[in-house]
Amino acid sequence: MSFREFRSGLADVLGRVRRSPDAAIFVGAHRRAEAVLVSVEQYEALQEAAERQHAVAAALASVRAEGLEPSAEDLVLFAEVAAGQMSTEELREQVLSRYRR
């Protein structure tokens, strides 16, 4: 969508975002996207995902800085946390349960 179309149809564009919260509307000039309009819900979900991925990367870097390397099984669990499929508490419990036996 061009900037001209965006400006002239702002109310319609916002209506499209409200009706389809997962939609992304690209706005630009000369057939090149320069901005993206998304719903607040989608923006917050993207922010949360980025924060999870950053936290997992920092945790793995900390473990590796200690001279340790997580097992392949642990890396799968960390990937699940980064994807939002598992909480950090669930990860902690699964890892600790291996050592409680």
Side-chain angles (χ1 to χ4, degrees):
M1 166 177 292
S2 72
F3 281 120
R4 179 178 295 164
E5 293 169 321
F6 178 73
R7 278 192 308 263
S8 67
L10 183 57
D12 290 334
V13 171
L14 292 176
R16 285 173 47 193
V17 170
R18 275 189 225 106
R19 286 189 303 277
S20 302
D22 294 334
I25 298 173
F26 294 83
V27 181
H30 308 289
R31 298 182 185 193
R32 186 172 151 249
E34 296 182 30
V36 180
L37 183 67
V38 296
S39 68
V40 171
E41 294 84 10
Q42 188 174 7
Y43 174 78
E44 289 172 346
L46 290 169
Q47 285 294 109
E48 290 170 8
E51 289 170 8
R52 277 193 313 273
Q53 292 169 359
H54 177 75
V56 165
L60 287 171
S62 176
V63 166
R64 290 177 175 137
E66 295 290 328
L68 303 171
E69 182 60 34
S71 69
E73 185 179 353
D74 290 338
L75 290 175
V76 168
L77 296 175
F78 274 103
E80 289 179 14
V81 170
Q85 300 166 343
M86 176 186 292
S87 71
T88 55
E89 185 59 33
E90 290 169 323
L91 169 70
R92 181 180 174 277
E93 286 302 315
Q94 285 199 23
V95 171
L96 291 177
S97 69
R98 291 189 221 144
Y99 301 100
R100 290 186 183 138
R101 298 177 188 170

